[in-house]
């Protein structure tokens, strides 16, 4: 009885230490009385509460204890015992919620209400289920009912404060946590809650005082290892030896530290804290949604999306906290319009109003943004984000009254402030100073992706294409799922001639390849035109047509769209008509003239093609696509092998000055150079051809042409075995590559007649009237 009373009192206190003390008491009772079913049920409850509230022991061992107690009570019932006890039912609810099984939790809650309507822990567990389902008022009502039964149930008081905190009401939440601390000094749960409330309100200094003081001491009193264990914390099954596993309260503390460090832009300290927090992440949606917000505050959108996806497992889609987090994630992905629609329909709260203001700034609605941000400021006057966005919205609404001094002051200690000031300066036409501020905005913050897009656009407009591409490449790598940066990278890549990269990026953003693009991204017509141009240049005709079909009718005009249509038409066998149509389209730049040269070449108009390429080079002597295209033209013209070699070598040198064009572009040039060296005549050089084609295969290992021509090179040198290997790789990449089948037959004709026959037959199936058809038939007759 004494141990039962002691354990019951410990459960009420709701600290990790008190739960561990209760666990110890119940285990001692069970050691003395192995058949004590009540002690087994209470032990399961104590373990489930510890796992639920602090993430400690949220593993199969806790579930197993709860299930053992349940089974013992079931056996007792069969012998004429009473219904399942309140502790067993409450524990079952808690572990079901930890597993994300709300249906099972609901079944147990109904049993609990039917059998134990006034059991405090059943009411408490029911409140957590209501919270997960998004029924905030139902949760609040159940918690108050639990306190009416047991006024000392601290867990219920903490859960009530958490409801306020999740709704953005940081002041009443902080007051509730302080009230618990007044009765239970240094209560870890109340300390953690107060820390989170302070962080949400922008009170980082106060939060850090708790995090590095009393909360750090409480977390240090973590679960003690067994006597023969050298680790600080229990080691889950499968954890490698020598690795300290962070669990429980320390995971929460590290997450809060990371949030504080990110808010104060101490990136070097934030990362290790996040690594420790995620290493011991509890199965708790509140933890995961906060982790998502910290990742978004870093500008790490992919990691944020992963955390949000896991949180989805534990919450109903009707949950307001989940909807709010989903809208915040949408903003992080650059989906302003759908985010604004969701936020406008949600209940007002400081966080909702902050996010609503951000969305409306993104949509070009600064006046509406000001209204929302002023409401957020009334609750969170010290939160830097609110102050920055409010000054930005006011500056965009009334440029003449922009508070640049205020923004400059905020920018002194904030990447976000630099972004806002840079955006205001850019809108005011001060490109030079805007560049300074946007450059300073590079780093980990919530608008990192937007800052990169603005700066890249500014650099592009000043002709600094390489730095702009490098900036966007890095931004996409860092932010991951920020769609506007990916689209901007795709558009700029196409304009610069990085067609392979442009196609890859834009296909993913727009979902043209049959997959679904990011929901919420509002594509610009230029996104589709850029994808169509890049795809058409690479010969992906259907993909290019699909992209053009997405261009709105009102925007279906202009020289770039006409170029895309002509390139598609030329690849579809209507090159003559395409060349005539494109010749009438004004060529604004070297890229347009290079496209005209390409279409004229496909139409067989050698002179017109050469003239177009030369015009492009007159405008831009280092235009790599024009040089590569001219080299391709010379490959097709009798007696022009030396000019082809010289032109491709010139293209390779030009690429060296524009290495931002990427390895795929260099590979295309090297393939052309290798082919040129293989041509008969004074420039023929098998060794140089092999060197160029080997380099091409290394630069672009997935390019079948590189392996095809390298195989031909080996074949010309009499090395049938290496030729067959390269040609096999080409066919692995493109089984429809007819020439690779023919030359495979040539490579194997003397060593493997059966495979050679198959290769020749496949060539004739794919190209019965091809340039090698007669030789293939002769070879087949010879191999009969």
């Amino acid at each position: 009885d004494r141990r039962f009373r002691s354990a019951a009192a410990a459960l009420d206190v709701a600290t990790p230490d008190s739960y561990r003390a209760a666990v110890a008491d119940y285990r001692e009772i069970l050691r003395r009385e192995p058949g004590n079913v009540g002690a087994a049920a209470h032990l399961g409850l104590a373990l489930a509460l510890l796992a639920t509230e602090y993430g400690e022991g949220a593993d199969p061992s806790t579930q197993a204890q709860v299930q053992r107690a349940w089974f013992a009570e079931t056996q007792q019932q069969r012998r004429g015992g009473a219904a399942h006890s309140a502790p067993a039912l409450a524990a079952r609810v808690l572990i079901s919620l930890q597993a994300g099984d709300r249906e099972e939790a609901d079944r147990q809650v109904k049993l609990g209400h039917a059998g134990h309507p006034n059991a405090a822990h059943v009411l408490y567990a029911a409140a957590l289920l209501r919270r997960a389902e998004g029924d905030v008022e139902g949760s609040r009502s159940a918690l108050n009912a639990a306190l009416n039964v047991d006024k000392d149930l601290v867990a219920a008081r903490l859960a009530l404060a958490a409801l306020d905190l999740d709704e953005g009401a940081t002041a009443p939440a902080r007051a509730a946590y302080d009230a618990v601390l007044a009765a239970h000094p240094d209560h870890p749960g109340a300390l953690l809650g107060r820390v989170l409330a302070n962080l949400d309100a922008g009170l980082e200094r106060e939060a850090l005082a708790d995090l590095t003081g009393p909360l750090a001491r409480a977390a240090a009193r973590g679960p003690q290892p067994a006597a023969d264990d050298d680790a600080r914390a229990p080691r889950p099954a499968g954890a490698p030896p020598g690795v300290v596993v962070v669990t429980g309260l320390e995971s929460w503390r590290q997450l809060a530290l990371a949030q504080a460090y990110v808010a104060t832009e101490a990136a070097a300290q934030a990362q290790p804290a996040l690594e420790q927090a995620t290493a011991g992440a509890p199965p708790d949606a509140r933890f995961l949604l906060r982790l998502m917000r910290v990742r978004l505050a870093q500008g790490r959108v992919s990691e944020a999306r992963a955390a949000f996806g896991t949180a989805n497992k534990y919450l109903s889609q009707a949950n307001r906290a989940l909807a709010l987090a989903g809208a915040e994630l949408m903003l992080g992905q650059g989906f302003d319009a759908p985010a604004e629609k969701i936020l406008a329909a949600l209940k007002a709260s400081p966080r909702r109003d902050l996010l609503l203001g951000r969305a409306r700034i993104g949509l070009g609605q600064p006046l509406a943004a000001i209204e929302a941000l002023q409401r957020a400021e009334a609750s969170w006057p010290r939160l830097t984000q609110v102050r920055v966005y409010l000054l930005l919205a006011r500056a965009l609404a009334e440029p003449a009254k922009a508070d640049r001094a205020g923004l400059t002051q905020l920018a002194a200690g904030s990447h976000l402030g630099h972004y806002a000031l840079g955006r205001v300066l850019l809108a005011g036409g001060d490109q030079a100073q805007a560049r300074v501020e946007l450059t300073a905005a590079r780093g980990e913050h919530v608008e990192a992706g937007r800052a990169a897009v603005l700066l890249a656009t500014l650099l592009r407009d000043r002709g600094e294409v390489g730095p702009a591409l490098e900036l966007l490449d890095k931004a996409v790598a860092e932010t991951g799922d920020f769609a506007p940066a990916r689209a901007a990278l795709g558009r700029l890549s196409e304009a610069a001639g990085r067609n392979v990269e442009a196609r890859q990026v834009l296909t993913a953003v727009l979902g043209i390849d049959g997959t679904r693009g990011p929901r919420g991204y509002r594509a610009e017509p230029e996104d589709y035109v850029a994808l169509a141009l890049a795809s058409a240049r690479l010969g992906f005709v259907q993909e290019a047509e699909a992209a053009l079909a997405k261009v709105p009718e009102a925007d279906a005009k202009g020289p770039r769209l006409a170029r895309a249509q002509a390139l598609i038409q030329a690849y579809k066998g209507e090159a003559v008509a395409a060349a005539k149509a494109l010749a009438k389209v004004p060529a604004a730049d070297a890229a347009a003239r290079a496209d005209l040269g390409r279409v004229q070449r496909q139409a067989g108009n050698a002179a017109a093609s050469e003239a177009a390429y030369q015009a492009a080079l007159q405008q831009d002597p280092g235009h790599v696509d024009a040089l590569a295209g001219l080299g391709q033209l010379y490959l097709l013209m009798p007696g022009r092998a030396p000019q082809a070699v010289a032109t491709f070598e010139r293209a390779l040198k030009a690429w060296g000055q524009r290495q931002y064009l990427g390895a795929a572009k260099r590979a295309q040039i090297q393939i052309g150079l290798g082919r040129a060296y293989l041509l008969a005549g004074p420039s023929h050089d098998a060794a140089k051809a092999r060197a160029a084609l080997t380099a091409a295969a290394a630069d672009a290992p997935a390019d079948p042409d590189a392996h095809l021509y390298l195989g031909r090179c080996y074949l010309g040198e009499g090395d049938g075995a290496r030729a067959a290997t390269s040609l096999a790789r080409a066919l692995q990449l493109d089984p429809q590559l007819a020439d690779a089948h023919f030359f495979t037959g040539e490579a194997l004709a003397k060593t493997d007649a059966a495979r050679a026959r198959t290769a020749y037959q496949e060539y004739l199936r794919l190209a019965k009237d091809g340039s090698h058809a007669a030789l293939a038939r002769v070879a087949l007759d010879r191999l009969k």
Side-chain angles (χ1 to χ4, degrees), residues 757-774:
R757 252 194 322 271
T758 300
Y760 287 129
Q761 290 167 347
E762 189 64 14
Y763 171 78
L764 290 172
R765 185 185 71 80
L766 293 168
K768 64 178 182 178
D769 298 321
S771 57
H772 307 298

Side-chain angles (χ1 to χ4, degrees), residues 633-658:
L633 176 65
Y634 289 148
L635 285 176
L636 302 173
M637 298 172 72
R640 303 296 289 273
Q643 289 94 328
V645 168
T647 304
F648 281 119
E649 286 182 336
R650 185 179 162 193
L652 205 54
K653 193 173 293 184
W655 180 92
Q657 300 299 313
R658 304 181 184 189

